[in-house]
Amino acid sequence: MQASALDRARELWAALTRVPGAFPGRGEVRVAVSPGSGLCPPEWTGVVVLDGGLLCTVPSPELEETMLAHPGDRPRSRAPGRQRS
């Protein structure tokens, strides 16, 4: 079965984070620490929204905490292997 254009776009944007993990589904937020992310210039924060799912890359764990601390009740996820201290 061939992937839809939206599925392919999700795969491509997720790959640009340069860390393992899928693009989040509708209503979900994923924040990944990736200083060299292809979503934005190095050391910047990058954000992409597709079909209601938000993918964000940040250059440092401190900024990850800031991005995850925003108000709201959307499900949030960290890049695999990252745990809150």
Side-chain angles (χ1 to χ4, degrees):
M1 177 179 214
Q2 190 171 356
S4 73
L6 180 59
D7 290 337
R8 186 68 183 128
R10 284 181 176 134
E11 290 173 12
L12 291 170
W13 282 111
L16 285 172
T17 66
R18 299 189 178 124
V19 294
F23 200 97
R26 182 176 291 178
E28 296 178 332
V29 174
R30 176 177 165 229
V31 178
V33 176
S34 181
S37 167
L39 297 184
C40 55
E43 300 297 324
W44 285 34
T45 296
V47 177
V48 176
V49 178
L50 290 175
D51 194 35
L54 188 145
L55 176 62
C56 176
T57 58
V58 295
S60 70
E62 295 79 20
L63 286 173
E64 177 187 31
E65 293 300 323
T66 299
M67 296 304 287
L68 288 170
H70 70 83
D73 58 354
R74 292 180 292 189
R76 300 173 198 138
S77 65
R78 293 173 175 272
R82 304 252 329 130
Q83 302 295 321
R84 277 191 189 226
S85 307

Coordinates of all heavy atoms in Angstrom, one line a residue:
M1 N 0.8 -1.2 0.0 CA 0.0 0.0 0.0 C 0.9 1.2 0.0 O 1.8 1.4 0.8 CB -0.9 0.0 1.2 CG -1.8 1.2 1.4 SD -2.8 1.0 2.9 CE -4.2 1.8 2.3
Q2 N 0.6 2.2 -0.9 CA 1.4 3.4 -1.0 C 0.9 4.4 0.1 O -0.2 4.6 0.4 CB 1.2 4.0 -2.4 CG 2.1 5.1 -2.6 CD 2.0 5.5 -4.1 OE1 1.3 4.9 -4.9 NE2 2.8 6.6 -4.5
A3 N 1.9 5.1 0.7 CA 1.7 6.1 1.7 C 1.0 7.3 1.1 O 1.3 7.7 -0.1 CB 3.0 6.5 2.4
S4 N 0.1 7.9 1.8 CA -0.5 9.2 1.4 C 0.5 10.3 1.4 O 1.6 10.2 2.0 CB -1.7 9.5 2.3 OG -1.2 10.0 3.5
A5 N 0.2 11.4 0.7 CA 1.1 12.6 0.7 C 1.3 13.1 2.1 O 2.4 13.5 2.5 CB 0.5 13.7 -0.2
L6 N 0.3 13.0 3.0 CA 0.4 13.5 4.4 C 1.3 12.6 5.1 O 2.2 13.0 5.9 CB -0.9 13.6 5.0 CG -1.0 14.0 6.5 CD1 -0.3 15.4 6.6 CD2 -2.4 14.0 7.0
D7 N 1.2 11.3 5.0 CA 2.1 10.3 5.6 C 3.5 10.5 5.2 O 4.4 10.5 6.0 CB 1.7 8.9 5.3 CG 0.4 8.5 6.0 OD1 0.0 9.1 7.0 OD2 -0.3 7.5 5.5
R8 N 3.7 10.7 3.9 CA 5.1 10.9 3.4 C 5.7 12.3 4.0 O 6.9 12.3 4.4 CB 5.1 11.0 1.9 CG 6.5 11.1 1.3 CD 7.3 9.8 1.5 NE 8.6 10.0 0.9 CZ 9.7 9.8 1.6 NH1 9.7 9.3 2.8 NH2 10.9 10.0 1.0
A9 N 4.9 13.3 4.0 CA 5.3 14.6 4.6 C 5.7 14.4 6.1 O 6.7 14.9 6.5 CB 4.2 15.6 4.4
R10 N 4.9 13.7 6.8 CA 5.2 13.4 8.2 C 6.6 12.7 8.3 O 7.4 13.0 9.2 CB 4.1 12.5 8.9 CG 2.9 13.3 9.2 CD 1.9 12.4 9.8 NE 0.7 13.1 10.2 CZ -0.5 12.7 10.0 NH1 -0.8 11.5 9.4 NH2 -1.6 13.4 10.4
E11 N 6.8 11.7 7.5 CA 8.1 10.9 7.5 C 9.2 11.8 7.2 O 10.3 11.8 7.9 CB 8.0 9.8 6.5 CG 7.1 8.7 6.9 CD 7.0 7.6 5.8 OE1 7.8 7.7 4.8 OE2 6.1 6.8 5.8
L12 N 9.1 12.7 6.2 CA 10.2 13.6 5.8 C 10.5 14.6 6.9 O 11.7 14.8 7.3 CB 9.9 14.3 4.5 CG 9.8 13.4 3.3 CD1 9.3 14.1 2.1 CD2 11.2 12.8 3.0
W13 N 9.5 15.2 7.5 CA 9.7 16.2 8.5 C 10.3 15.6 9.8 O 11.2 16.1 10.4 CB 8.4 17.0 8.9 CG 8.1 18.0 7.9 CD1 7.0 18.0 7.0 CD2 8.8 19.3 7.7 NE1 7.1 19.2 6.3 CE2 8.1 20.0 6.7 CE3 9.9 19.8 8.2 CZ2 8.5 21.2 6.2 CZ3 10.3 21.1 7.8 CH2 9.6 21.7 6.8
A14 N 9.8 14.4 10.1 CA 10.3 13.7 11.3 C 11.8 13.3 11.1 O 12.6 13.4 12.0 CB 9.5 12.4 11.6
A15 N 12.2 12.9 9.9 CA 13.6 12.6 9.6 C 14.5 13.8 9.7 O 15.6 13.7 10.1 CB 13.7 12.0 8.2
L16 N 13.9 15.0 9.4 CA 14.7 16.2 9.5 C 15.1 16.6 10.9 O 16.0 17.4 11.1 CB 14.0 17.4 8.8 CG 14.0 17.3 7.3 CD1 13.1 18.4 6.7 CD2 15.4 17.5 6.7
T17 N 14.4 16.0 11.9 CA 14.8 16.3 13.3 C 16.2 15.7 13.6 O 16.9 16.2 14.5 CB 13.8 15.7 14.3 OG1 13.8 14.3 14.2 CG2 12.4 16.3 14.1
R18 N 16.6 14.7 12.9 CA 17.8 14.0 13.1 C 17.9 13.3 14.4 O 19.0 13.0 15.0 CB 19.0 14.9 12.9 CG 19.1 15.5 11.5 CD 20.3 16.2 11.1 NE 20.3 16.6 9.7 CZ 20.4 17.9 9.3 NH1 20.6 18.8 10.2 NH2 20.3 18.2 8.1
V19 N 16.7 12.9 15.0 CA 16.6 12.1 16.1 C 15.5 11.1 15.9 O 14.6 11.4 15.1 CB 16.3 12.8 17.5 CG1 17.5 13.7 17.8 CG2 15.1 13.6 17.4
P20 N 15.6 9.8 16.4 CA 14.5 8.9 16.1 C 13.2 9.3 16.7 O 13.1 10.0 17.7 CB 15.0 7.6 16.9 CG 16.4 7.8 17.3 CD 16.6 9.3 17.3
G21 N 12.1 8.9 16.0 CA 10.8 9.2 16.4 C 9.9 9.6 15.3 O 10.3 10.1 14.2
A22 N 8.6 9.4 15.5 CA 7.6 9.7 14.4 C 7.0 11.1 14.6 O 7.1 11.7 15.7 CB 6.5 8.6 14.5
F23 N 6.4 11.6 13.6 CA 5.7 12.8 13.6 C 4.4 12.6 14.5 O 3.8 11.6 14.3 CB 5.3 13.3 12.2 CG 4.9 14.7 12.1 CD1 5.9 15.6 11.7 CD2 3.7 15.2 12.5 CE1 5.6 17.0 11.6 CE2 3.4 16.6 12.4 CZ 4.4 17.5 12.0
P24 N 4.1 13.5 15.4 CA 3.0 13.3 16.3 C 1.6 13.3 15.5 O 1.5 14.0 14.5 CB 3.1 14.4 17.3 CG 3.9 15.5 16.6 CD 4.8 14.8 15.6
G25 N 0.7 12.6 16.1 CA -0.7 12.6 15.5 C -1.5 13.9 15.8 O -1.0 14.7 16.6
R26 N -2.6 14.0 15.3 CA -3.5 15.1 15.5 C -3.7 15.3 17.0 O -4.0 14.4 17.8 CB -4.9 14.9 14.8 CG -5.8 16.0 15.0 CD -7.1 15.8 14.3 NE -6.8 15.9 12.8 CZ -7.6 15.6 11.9 NH1 -8.9 15.3 12.2 NH2 -7.3 15.7 10.6
G27 N -3.5 16.6 17.5 CA -3.7 16.9 18.9 C -2.5 16.6 19.8 O -2.5 16.9 20.9
E28 N -1.4 16.1 19.2 CA -0.3 15.7 20.0 C 0.9 16.7 19.7 O 0.9 17.3 18.6 CB 0.2 14.3 19.6 CG -0.8 13.2 20.0 CD -0.3 11.8 19.6 OE1 0.5 11.7 18.7 OE2 -0.8 10.9 20.3
V29 N 1.8 16.7 20.7 CA 3.0 17.6 20.5 C 4.2 16.7 20.8 O 4.2 16.0 21.8 CB 3.0 18.8 21.6 CG1 4.3 19.6 21.5 CG2 1.8 19.6 21.3
R30 N 5.2 16.8 20.0 CA 6.5 16.1 20.2 C 7.6 17.2 20.2 O 7.7 17.9 19.3 CB 6.8 15.1 19.2 CG 8.1 14.4 19.3 CD 8.4 13.3 18.3 NE 9.8 13.0 18.3 CZ 10.5 12.9 17.2 NH1 10.0 13.1 16.0 NH2 11.8 12.7 17.3
V31 N 8.4 17.2 21.3 CA 9.6 18.1 21.4 C 10.8 17.2 21.4 O 10.9 16.4 22.3 CB 9.5 19.0 22.6 CG1 10.7 19.9 22.7 CG2 8.2 19.8 22.6
A32 N 11.8 17.5 20.5 CA 13.0 16.7 20.5 C 14.2 17.7 20.6 O 14.2 18.8 20.0 CB 13.1 16.0 19.1
V33 N 15.2 17.3 21.4 CA 16.4 18.1 21.5 C 17.3 17.7 20.3 O 17.7 16.5 20.2 CB 17.1 17.8 22.9 CG1 18.4 18.5 22.9 CG2 16.2 18.2 24.0
S34 N 17.6 18.6 19.5 CA 18.4 18.4 18.3 C 19.0 19.7 17.8 O 18.5 20.4 17.0 CB 17.6 17.7 17.2 OG 18.3 17.5 16.0
P35 N 20.2 20.0 18.3 CA 20.9 21.3 18.0 C 21.2 21.4 16.5 O 21.2 22.5 15.9 CB 22.2 21.3 18.7 CG 22.1 20.2 19.8 CD 21.0 19.2 19.3
G36 N 21.3 20.2 15.8 CA 21.6 20.3 14.3 C 20.4 19.9 13.5 O 20.5 19.4 12.4
S37 N 19.2 20.1 14.0 CA 18.0 19.7 13.3 C 17.9 20.4 11.9 O 18.3 21.5 11.8 CB 16.7 20.2 14.1 OG 15.6 20.1 13.4
G38 N 17.3 19.7 11.0 CA 17.1 20.2 9.7 C 15.8 21.0 9.5 O 15.5 21.5 8.5
L39 N 15.1 21.1 10.6 CA 13.8 21.9 10.6 C 14.1 23.4 10.6 O 13.2 24.2 10.2 CB 12.9 21.6 11.8 CG 12.4 20.2 12.0 CD1 11.5 20.2 13.3 CD2 11.7 19.7 10.8
C40 N 15.3 23.8 11.0 CA 15.6 25.2 11.1 C 17.1 25.4 11.1 O 17.8 24.4 11.1 CB 15.0 25.7 12.5 SG 15.6 24.8 13.9
P41 N 17.6 26.6 11.1 CA 19.0 26.8 11.2 C 19.6 26.2 12.5 O 18.9 26.1 13.5 CB 19.2 28.4 11.2 CG 17.9 28.9 10.5 CD 16.9 27.9 11.0
P42 N 20.9 25.8 12.5 CA 21.5 25.3 13.7 C 21.3 26.2 14.9 O 21.4 27.4 14.8 CB 23.0 25.2 13.3 CG 23.0 25.1 11.9 CD 21.8 25.9 11.4
E43 N 21.0 25.6 16.1 CA 20.8 26.2 17.3 C 19.5 27.1 17.4 O 19.4 27.8 18.4 CB 22.1 27.1 17.7 CG 23.4 26.3 17.8 CD 23.3 25.3 18.9 OE1 22.8 25.6 20.0 OE2 23.9 24.2 18.7
W44 N 18.6 26.9 16.5 CA 17.3 27.6 16.6 C 16.3 26.6 17.0 O 16.5 25.4 17.0 CB 17.0 28.1 15.2 CG 17.7 29.3 14.7 CD1 19.0 29.7 15.0 CD2 17.1 30.4 13.9 NE1 19.3 30.9 14.4 CE2 18.2 31.3 13.7 CE3 15.9 30.6 13.3 CZ2 18.0 32.4 12.9 CZ3 15.7 31.7 12.5 CH2 16.8 32.6 12.3
T45 N 15.1 27.1 17.3 CA 13.9 26.2 17.6 C 13.1 26.1 16.3 O 12.8 27.2 15.7 CB 13.1 26.8 18.7 OG1 13.9 26.8 19.9 CG2 11.8 26.0 18.9
G46 N 12.8 24.9 15.9 CA 12.0 24.7 14.7 C 10.6 24.1 15.1 O 10.5 23.2 15.9
V47 N 9.6 24.5 14.4 CA 8.2 24.0 14.7 C 7.5 23.8 13.3 O 7.5 24.6 12.4 CB 7.4 25.1 15.5 CG1 6.0 24.6 15.7 CG2 8.0 25.4 16.8
V48 N 6.9 22.6 13.2 CA 6.1 22.2 12.0 C 4.8 21.6 12.5 O 4.8 20.8 13.5 CB 6.9 21.1 11.2 CG1 6.0 20.7 10.0 CG2 8.2 21.7 10.7
V49 N 3.7 22.1 11.9 CA 2.4 21.5 12.3 C 1.8 20.9 11.0 O 1.7 21.6 10.0 CB 1.5 22.7 12.8 CG1 0.1 22.1 13.1 CG2 2.0 23.3 14.0
L50 N 1.4 19.7 11.1 CA 0.7 19.0 10.0 C -0.5 18.3 10.5 O -0.5 17.5 11.5 CB 1.6 17.9 9.4 CG 2.8 18.4 8.6 CD1 3.6 17.2 8.1 CD2 2.4 19.2 7.3
D51 N -1.7 18.6 10.0 CA -2.9 18.0 10.3 C -3.2 18.0 11.8 O -3.6 17.0 12.4 CB -3.0 16.5 9.7 CG -4.3 15.9 9.8 OD1 -5.3 16.7 9.6 OD2 -4.4 14.7 10.0
G52 N -2.8 19.0 12.5 CA -3.1 19.2 13.9 C -2.0 18.6 14.8 O -2.1 18.6 16.1
G53 N -1.0 18.0 14.3 CA 0.1 17.4 15.1 C 1.3 18.4 15.0 O 1.6 19.0 14.0
L54 N 1.9 18.7 16.2 CA 3.0 19.7 16.3 C 4.3 19.0 16.6 O 4.4 18.3 17.6 CB 2.7 20.7 17.3 CG 3.6 21.9 17.4 CD1 2.8 23.2 17.8 CD2 4.7 21.7 18.4
L55 N 5.3 19.2 15.7 CA 6.7 18.7 15.9 C 7.6 19.9 16.2 O 7.6 20.9 15.4 CB 7.1 17.9 14.7 CG 8.5 17.4 14.7 CD1 8.8 16.4 15.8 CD2 8.8 16.8 13.3
C56 N 8.4 19.8 17.2 CA 9.2 20.9 17.6 C 10.6 20.4 17.9 O 10.8 19.4 18.5 CB 8.7 21.6 18.8 SG 9.7 22.9 19.5
T57 N 11.7 21.1 17.4 CA 13.0 20.7 17.8 C 13.6 21.9 18.5 O 13.3 23.1 18.2 CB 13.9 20.4 16.6 OG1 13.9 21.4 15.7 CG2 13.4 19.1 15.9
V58 N 14.4 21.6 19.5 CA 15.1 22.7 20.3 C 16.6 22.3 20.4 O 16.9 21.1 20.3 CB 14.5 22.8 21.7 CG1 13.0 23.4 21.6 CG2 14.5 21.5 22.5
P59 N 17.4 23.3 20.6 CA 18.9 23.0 20.7 C 19.4 22.5 22.0 O 20.5 22.1 22.1 CB 19.5 24.3 20.3 CG 18.5 25.4 20.7 CD 17.2 24.7 20.5
S60 N 18.5 22.6 23.1 CA 19.0 22.3 24.4 C 17.9 21.7 25.3 O 16.7 22.0 25.1 CB 19.6 23.5 25.1 OG 18.6 24.4 25.5
P61 N 18.3 20.9 26.3 CA 17.3 20.3 27.2 C 16.5 21.4 28.0 O 15.4 21.3 28.3 CB 18.1 19.5 28.2 CG 19.3 19.1 27.4 CD 19.6 20.3 26.5
E62 N 17.2 22.5 28.2 CA 16.5 23.6 29.0 C 15.4 24.2 28.1 O 14.3 24.5 28.7 CB 17.5 24.7 29.3 CG 18.6 24.4 30.3 CD 19.7 23.6 29.6 OE1 19.9 23.6 28.4 OE2 20.5 22.9 30.4
L63 N 15.6 24.3 26.8 CA 14.5 24.8 26.0 C 13.4 23.7 25.8 O 12.2 24.0 25.6 CB 15.0 25.2 24.6 CG 15.8 26.6 24.7 CD1 16.4 26.8 23.3 CD2 14.8 27.7 25.0
E64 N 13.8 22.5 25.9 CA 12.8 21.4 25.8 C 11.8 21.5 27.0 O 10.6 21.5 26.8 CB 13.5 20.0 25.9 CG 12.5 18.9 25.9 CD 13.2 17.5 26.1 OE1 14.2 17.5 26.8 OE2 12.7 16.5 25.6
E65 N 12.3 21.8 28.2 CA 11.5 22.0 29.3 C 10.6 23.2 29.1 O 9.4 23.1 29.5 CB 12.3 22.2 30.6 CG 13.1 20.9 31.0 CD 12.2 19.7 31.3 OE1 11.1 19.9 31.9 OE2 12.6 18.6 30.9
T66 N 11.1 24.2 28.6 CA 10.3 25.4 28.3 C 9.2 25.1 27.3 O 8.0 25.5 27.6 CB 11.2 26.6 27.8 OG1 12.2 26.9 28.7 CG2 10.3 27.8 27.4
M67 N 9.5 24.4 26.3 CA 8.4 24.1 25.3 C 7.4 23.1 25.8 O 6.2 23.3 25.5 CB 9.1 23.5 24.0 CG 10.0 24.5 23.3 SD 9.2 26.0 22.8 CE 8.2 25.5 21.5
L68 N 7.8 22.2 26.7 CA 6.8 21.2 27.2 C 6.0 21.8 28.4 O 5.0 21.3 28.7 CB 7.6 20.0 27.8 CG 8.1 19.1 26.7 CD1 9.1 18.1 27.3 CD2 7.0 18.4 25.9
A69 N 6.4 23.0 28.9 CA 5.8 23.6 30.1 C 4.6 24.5 29.7 O 3.9 25.0 30.5 CB 6.7 24.4 30.9
H70 N 4.4 24.6 28.4 CA 3.3 25.5 28.0 C 1.9 25.0 28.4 O 1.7 23.8 28.6 CB 3.3 25.8 26.4 CG 2.9 24.6 25.7 ND1 1.6 24.2 25.5 CD2 3.6 23.6 25.1 CE1 1.5 23.1 24.8 NE2 2.7 22.7 24.5
P71 N 1.0 25.9 28.7 CA -0.3 25.4 29.2 C -1.1 24.7 28.1 O -0.8 24.9 26.9 CB -1.0 26.7 29.6 CG -0.3 27.8 28.9 CD 1.1 27.4 28.6
G72 N -2.0 23.9 28.5 CA -2.8 23.2 27.5 C -2.9 21.7 28.0 O -2.2 21.2 28.8
D73 N -3.9 21.0 27.4 CA -4.1 19.6 27.8 C -3.8 18.7 26.6 O -4.2 17.5 26.7 CB -5.5 19.5 28.2 CG -6.6 19.8 27.2 OD1 -6.2 20.3 26.1 OD2 -7.7 19.6 27.4
R74 N -3.0 19.1 25.6 CA -2.6 18.2 24.5 C -1.6 17.2 25.0 O -0.7 17.5 25.8 CB -2.0 19.0 23.4 CG -3.1 19.9 22.7 CD -2.4 20.7 21.6 NE -1.5 21.6 22.2 CZ -0.8 22.5 21.5 NH1 -1.0 22.7 20.3 NH2 0.0 23.3 22.1
P75 N -1.7 15.9 24.5 CA -0.7 15.0 24.9 C 0.6 15.4 24.4 O 0.7 16.0 23.3 CB -1.2 13.7 24.1 CG -2.6 13.9 23.8 CD -2.8 15.4 23.7
R76 N 1.7 15.2 25.1 CA 3.0 15.6 24.8 C 4.0 14.4 24.8 O 3.7 13.5 25.6 CB 3.6 16.7 25.7 CG 2.7 17.9 25.7 CD 3.1 18.9 26.8 NE 2.0 19.8 27.0 CZ 1.6 20.2 28.2 NH1 2.3 19.8 29.2 NH2 0.6 21.0 28.3
S77 N 5.0 14.4 24.0 CA 5.9 13.3 24.0 C 7.3 13.9 23.9 O 7.6 14.9 23.3 CB 5.6 12.3 23.0 OG 5.8 12.8 21.7
R78 N 8.3 13.1 24.4 CA 9.7 13.4 24.3 C 10.3 12.5 23.2 O 9.7 11.5 22.9 CB 10.4 13.2 25.6 CG 10.0 14.1 26.7 CD 10.7 13.7 28.0 NE 10.4 14.7 29.0 CZ 11.1 15.7 29.2 NH1 12.2 16.0 28.5 NH2 10.7 16.6 30.1
A79 N 11.4 12.9 22.7 CA 12.1 12.1 21.8 C 12.5 10.8 22.5 O 12.7 10.8 23.7 CB 13.4 12.8 21.3
P80 N 12.5 9.6 21.9 CA 12.9 8.4 22.5 C 14.2 8.5 23.3 O 15.1 9.1 22.8 CB 13.0 7.4 21.4 CG 12.2 7.9 20.3 CD 12.3 9.4 20.5
G81 N 14.3 7.9 24.5 CA 15.5 7.9 25.3 C 15.7 9.1 26.2 O 16.6 9.1 27.0
R82 N 14.8 10.1 26.1 CA 14.9 11.2 26.9 C 13.9 11.1 28.1 O 12.7 10.8 27.8 CB 14.5 12.5 26.1 CG 15.4 12.7 24.9 CD 16.4 13.8 25.0 NE 16.1 14.9 25.8 CZ 16.8 15.4 26.7 NH1 18.0 14.8 26.9 NH2 16.5 16.4 27.4
Q83 N 14.3 11.3 29.3 CA 13.5 11.2 30.5 C 13.6 12.5 31.3 O 14.6 13.1 31.3 CB 13.9 10.0 31.3 CG 13.9 8.6 30.6 CD 12.4 8.3 30.3 OE1 11.5 8.5 31.0 NE2 12.3 7.7 29.1
R84 N 12.5 12.8 31.9 CA 12.5 14.0 32.8 C 13.4 13.7 34.0 O 13.4 12.6 34.5 CB 11.1 14.3 33.3 CG 10.4 15.2 32.3 CD 9.2 15.7 32.9 NE 8.4 16.3 31.9 CZ 7.9 17.5 31.9 NH1 7.9 18.2 33.0 NH2 7.3 18.0 30.9
S85 N 14.2 14.6 34.4 CA 15.0 14.4 35.6 C 14.3 14.7 36.9 O 13.4 15.6 36.9 CB 16.3 15.4 35.5 OG 16.9 15.2 34.3

